[in-house]
Amino acid sequence: MINQIIILPIILPLIFAVTMLFFWRSVAVHRYINLFGTLVSLVVSIIILVQVISEGIISLQVGSWQAPFGISIVADLLSTVMVVITAVIGFATALYSIGTIDPDREKYLYYPLLQFLLMGINGAFLTGDIFNLYVWFEVMLISSFVLLVLGGTRGQFEGAIKYVTLNLLSSAIFLAAVGILYGVAGTLNMADLARRIPFVEQKELLTVVSVLFMIAFGVKAAIFPLFFWLPASYHTPPVAVSAIFAGLLTKVGVYALIRFFTTIFVHDIGFTHNLLLISAVLTMLTGVLGAAAQSDFRKILSFHIISQIGYMILGLALFSPLAIAGAIFYIIHHIIVKTNLFFVSGVVDKMKGSFDLNKLGGVYKFYPLLGLLFLIPALSLAGIPPLSGFWAKFVVIKAGLEVQEYFVIGIALLVGLLTLFSMTKIWNEVFWKDDPRGYENHLDESYKQITSTKKYLVIAPIVFLALITIIIGFYAEPFFKYANDAAEQLINSSVYINSVLGMR
Amino acid sequence: MNFLLAIIIGILYGAGTYMILRRSLVKVILGLIFLGHAANLLIFTIGRLTKGAPAFIPQGAETLAEPYADPLPQALILTAIVIGFGVQAFAIVLFKRTYQTVGTDDLDKMKSTDELK
């Protein structure tokens, strides 16, 4: 059965993580297995993507328990694209981690935790069962908790308190929503739910449940007004960890929102999607204004995650095929770009020993290429053509104009402008102005001891991700076509239902 | 029985919400535990309580005869309890280590990561 391949993105990280535990004294082995593991995952996920594109949705009933009684693993276009992006970021982070993570953290099982995190993320993308989604969320969360506090500095603990508390709270809400939904609809299989929900009589209760899910996923996706844990915690761990969190974790929440509010909860669009729309606008605004007030490299980037999440939720809330395609395109673009920006901030920190914009400066003068590598993702984030961010924003805004939400589109454009302001601020302070300590090339003492192999390992993923940004920018059409197909699959849920429940 | 459980769930949610709004770390973790238990009991109750009728097919019969207790909510709760236990154990250790590192259990004093520098 070729269908079994879609469970590999979940199984492979588990196998590699457990293999690493057998060699738990040898950090070097961990590094190689981790790098090899992420590479294998990348290849496998691309094979799955090719299959899903050619054959349509692939589903697998675990243990041959027929849906809706067993757990379904479903790879539709959206899930598969997310799995591929996860693998890309996993690979880039594996390279970057070898170059930047200190030996103490490596010794305390950093790499196995990374693989467990990837397993949880892939599981959340691929599952077709809501309770199973809860389980994968917990797998992902517990690995992220440990990665966040690994190292045990004061800032990490303070950030982790907020991160852990709010995520546990959101899990409790998620669980309650799962319970009520089971009571109302009598099933937890997503495809079965999509089929049964139009016939549920207690529509009001269903709306309550959908809002509970919105809150639970909203905490994880960091939408307004549930985002406070993000800027408090994301800048505290090592850069490699921040980067993978910034790229992937919030997007799992966005993915869940897109999945639930296109396939399952479309019984009361006037209420639920309007709520999402209001939240999206406020998310964009608060995020970008929060960033404008900051003067720390990573804090600015953290606040920008929030404002960009707003665009994705906006695409979902507008709820036209084009808008959802725009949201999906936005997720792809944003994961790549945001991870890359965090990577660059880490390089600057290694050189100058600080994330504080006031203490930094003069990087462009001595490292013009690094400046270029910052500019590509930064301008892409702000939406400057022809980079990927321009197309992402363009599609969402075009979709907004089609449904005549002019006020919302005005805000979205304003936020784009303010994003450019923040990026120029970082450019001016970090790269353009002279180092406040003088005209010479001031480098951190520890930087001089880093071997040149490690330096290449750190730069390689940045170049790799920058190239992807440029490719998406210049060859946007195929990417957009697949985003469109994915949106099509989400809106016409009958294909999804038939593929999972096996009806002709 | 349904009524009693509903009251208990309500009390647990109320107490949990009150506790996580407190400033002390210990009270916050207690609040999280209450909320977790409340969610578990909610699943238990909302899956419809059926007394004394386990979901076993009697000998000789082909299918289950109504009424029988739905086994799925119980399976869900079992999973949720195990996960909740693990996560809460981690949170308790994390809160203790935070207390040792930061030197206070007052949440209002833990805002160095939020301050504008």
Side-chain angles (χ1 to χ4, degrees):
Chain A
M1 280 290 280
I2 199 71
N3 279 11
Q4 258 94 28
I5 192 177
I6 65 170
I7 206 162
L8 281 181
I10 303 173
I11 301 268
L12 283 174
L14 179 67
I15 293 174
F16 290 121
V18 172
T19 319
M20 278 187 241
L21 293 181
F22 281 110
F23 303 96
W24 80 292
R25 278 170 193 282
S26 167
V27 171
V29 177
H30 281 194
R31 289 178 183 162
Y32 289 122
I33 295 181
N34 188 48
L35 194 59
F36 175 71
T38 48
L39 200 60
V40 172
S41 294
L42 182 60
V43 172
V44 167
S45 60
I46 289 174
I47 294 173
I48 298 175
L49 180 66
V50 171
Q51 277 205 354
V52 170
I53 287 173
S54 64
E55 294 171 23
I57 300 172
I58 302 176
S59 63
L60 173 73
Q61 314 301 337
V62 178
S64 288
W65 293 95
Q66 276 313 304
F69 303 109
I71 292 169
S72 311
I73 303 284
V74 189
D76 69 347
L77 207 46
L78 174 62
S79 308
T80 321
V81 166
M82 297 302 287
V83 169
V84 173
I85 297 286
T86 307
V88 168
I89 298 300
F91 177 62
T93 311
L95 280 175
Y96 195 84
S97 299
I98 296 174
T100 56
I101 296 292
D102 48 294
D104 281 342
R105 286 189 169 91
E106 286 181 322
K107 225 172 6 193
Y108 284 97
L109 304 178
Y110 170 82
Y111 293 110
L113 284 165
L114 211 55
Q115 289 288 343
F116 281 126
L117 182 75
L118 292 174
M119 170 172 122
I121 296 172
N122 282 337
F125 287 146
L126 285 171
T127 183
D129 182 278
I130 296 182
F131 192 75
N132 200 228
L133 180 67
Y134 167 77
V135 176
W136 288 124
F137 265 21
E138 295 301 311
V139 172
M140 178 184 94
L141 283 179
I142 196 89
S143 339
S144 71
F145 292 164
V146 184
L147 279 174
L148 190 62
V149 290
L150 197 63
T153 60
R154 179 181 170 151
Q156 280 181 298
F157 278 123
E158 287 192 18
I161 286 287
K162 291 151 199 169
Y163 180 79
V164 170
T165 310
L166 272 167
N167 274 299
L168 289 187
L169 184 63
S170 108
S171 294
I173 296 171
F174 187 5
L175 202 56
V178 168
I180 302 173
L181 185 62
Y182 182 73
V184 176
T187 180
L188 289 175
N189 185 296
M190 290 183 196
D192 201 26
L193 270 174
R195 193 182 56 168
R196 285 202 203 178
I197 274 196
F199 308 108
V200 169
E201 280 162 15
Q202 297 147 298
K203 287 279 190 278
E204 297 77 21
L205 198 52
L206 213 53
T207 310
V208 173
V209 176
S210 68
V211 174
L212 279 179
F213 276 117
M214 200 188 291
I215 293 170
F217 297 141
V219 171
K220 292 183 211 286
I223 63 175
F224 181 88
L226 309 162
F227 62 77
F228 298 100
W229 55 271
L230 193 149
S233 63
Y234 268 25
H235 63 282
T236 56
V239 176
V241 178
S242 307
I244 197 165
F245 281 19
L248 293 173
L249 289 197
T250 46
K251 259 55 80 184
V252 180
V254 177
Y255 162 82
L257 280 173
I258 290 183
R259 171 73 68 204
F260 275 57
F261 287 91
T262 56
T263 315
I264 303 173
F265 294 120
V266 284
H267 59 282
D268 190 2
I269 290 176
F271 179 72
T272 50
H273 287 65
N274 255 337
L275 204 57
L276 280 172
L277 189 65
I278 295 167
S279 168
V281 172
L282 289 170
T283 311
M284 284 192 285
L285 266 181
T286 44
V288 85
L289 292 177
Q294 299 291 336
S295 61
D296 178 293
F297 203 148
R298 281 200 289 178
K299 277 190 189 175
I300 295 179
L301 296 179
S302 300
F303 271 102
H304 272 292
I305 302 173
I306 300 166
S307 86
Q308 306 289 316
I309 293 287
Y311 281 98
M312 299 165 207
I313 305 297
L314 175 64
L316 170 64
L318 293 171
F319 204 65
S320 68
L322 185 68
I324 291 170
I328 295 168
F329 192 96
Y330 214 110
I331 295 177
I332 300 170
H333 138 76
H334 179 253
I335 290 178
I336 305 272
V337 163
K338 186 55 82 179
T339 310
N340 206 1
L341 283 171
F342 269 92
F343 282 168
V344 175
S345 80
V347 174
V348 173
D349 173 56
K350 283 274 175 214
M351 281 176 178
K352 301 279 181 182
S354 174
F355 288 106
D356 190 350
L357 294 192
N358 299 319
K359 291 182 189 153
L360 292 168
V363 176
Y364 177 74
K365 194 166 166 188
F366 299 99
Y367 303 97
L369 275 178
L370 186 66
L372 180 70
L373 285 175
F374 168 76
L375 267 192
I376 292 170
L379 293 180
S380 179
L381 189 80
I384 303 292
L387 295 162
S388 58
F390 167 71
W391 301 108
K393 279 201 175 62
F394 175 74
V395 175
V396 172
I397 284 167
K398 180 162 182 276
L401 291 177
E402 276 179 8
V403 291
Q404 297 170 344
E405 292 279 1
Y406 297 117
F407 175 71
V408 173
I409 294 311
I411 300 278
L413 289 171
L414 175 74
V415 170
L417 197 65
L418 288 171
T419 310
L420 189 59
F421 160 74
S422 274
M423 291 302 123
T424 0
K425 183 163 121 190
I426 296 180
W427 170 257
N428 281 339
E429 297 283 326
V430 177
F431 293 92
W432 201 244
K433 81 167 189 220
D434 281 321
D435 194 312
R437 288 169 291 188
Y439 293 108
E440 298 89 47
N441 186 11
H442 290 277
L443 290 174
D444 209 50
E445 279 307 314
S446 61
Y447 179 74
K448 291 166 188 159
Q449 286 147 22
I450 301 173
T451 57
S452 59
T453 340
K454 278 202 169 182
K455 284 179 192 162
Y456 284 118
L457 276 172
V458 170
I459 292 296
I462 300 179
V463 176
F464 173 56
L465 294 181
L467 275 178
I468 297 180
T469 313
I470 294 175
I471 290 171
I472 298 178
F474 280 93
Y475 297 94
E477 201 179 332
F479 287 93
F480 185 66
K481 183 182 162 292
Y482 292 128
N484 229 346
D485 292 350
E488 199 64 37
Q489 281 181 357
L490 286 171
I491 286 185
N492 298 327
S493 54
S494 60
V495 187
Y496 182 86
I497 296 170
N498 288 345
S499 152
V500 178
L501 298 179
M503 287 178 299
R504 293 283 169 268
Chain B
M1 192 66 186
N2 263 334
F3 181 71
L4 189 64
L5 274 172
I7 299 282
I8 292 174
I9 294 167
I11 291 174
L12 277 175
Y13 268 113
T17 313
Y18 177 73
M19 289 298 238
I20 58 166
L21 295 175
R22 305 299 299 271
R23 281 159 53 181
S24 158
L25 279 180
V26 181
K27 287 168 185 161
V28 170
I29 184 74
L30 280 175
L32 287 172
I33 293 172
F34 283 163
L35 288 177
H37 290 333
N40 289 340
L41 274 180
L42 179 72
I43 300 178
F44 183 60
T45 319
I46 214 158
R48 286 180 195 84
L49 299 175
T50 317
K51 209 174 162 188
F56 293 125
I57 302 174
Q59 205 146 31
E62 287 284 304
T63 52
L64 267 175
E66 297 269 357
Y68 59 89
D70 188 350
L72 193 91
Q74 299 168 22
L76 298 188
I77 299 166
L78 206 58
T79 318
I81 289 174
V82 174
I83 292 175
F85 176 75
V87 176
Q88 283 154 8
F90 173 81
I92 290 170
V93 176
L94 171 72
F95 282 30
K96 175 169 176 278
R97 286 275 289 147
T98 309
Y99 173 70
Q100 287 171 336
T101 311
V102 183
T104 173
D105 79 331
D106 186 349
L107 278 169
D108 275 7
K109 295 204 175 96
M110 290 184 200
K111 48 190 179 189
S112 70
T113 60
D114 277 321
E115 274 162 0
L116 281 173
K117 268 179 280 181

